Amino acid sequence: MPRVTCIEPDGHTRTLSVDAGSSVMRAAVAAGVDGIEAQCGGLLACATCHCYVQPPWLDRLPPPSDDENVMLGNVAAERRPNSRLSCQLIVTPALDGLTVQFPERQS
Ligand code: FES
């Protein structure tokens, strides 16, 4: 089962075992990770699942869709080059070790 490491806003690190095919958002919410709200439940309608993808993983992910790019314009924390919406990050075995950081605020 792929592992995803989540860095919470206070720097605390949580490593989760995630079913392939699940989104990072679903796994983080289920585990009670701090720093994620995911108000819309993954419908690309809230931008409260914002995360910063840590190197070297950004280049290993499919690029954001046009809709995700639009929603990234609505994030509450600073948008950075490695900003993604975690509901759009689908975990695969190739992403074992993926590390994301959740920002100080989501709304
Ligand atoms: Fe709402 Fe990701 S959970 S956009």
Side-chain angles (χ1 to χ4, degrees):
M1 196 178 280
R3 288 160 300 145
V4 174
T5 296
C6 299
I7 305 171
E8 297 176 327
D10 67 359
H12 186 243
T13 297
R14 307 264 310 268
T15 298
L16 313 176
S17 294
V18 182
D19 288 327
S22 175
S23 69
V24 172
M25 177 278 281
R26 289 235 175 267
V29 168
V33 170
D34 284 341
I36 181 169
E37 294 181 12
Q39 292 171 358
C40 78
L43 299 177
L44 259 186
C46 73
T48 63
C49 62
H50 178 204
C51 68
Y52 301 118
V53 176
Q54 302 301 289
W57 296 101
L58 190 64
D59 292 341
R60 301 183 190 177
L61 295 170
S65 66
D66 290 346
D67 288 342
E68 183 182 349
N69 255 323
V70 168
M71 286 307 293
L72 281 166
N74 297 323
V75 295
E78 176 190 7
R79 181 178 180 177
R80 300 175 185 165
N82 60 340
S83 286
R84 294 294 302 264
L85 295 179
S86 60
C87 69
Q88 302 303 299
L89 303 180
I90 304 303
V91 176
T92 68
L95 294 178
D96 182 41
L98 174 68
T99 303
V100 301
Q101 178 179 17
F102 290 101
E104 289 287 331
R105 61 195 182 97
Q106 293 283 5
S107 57

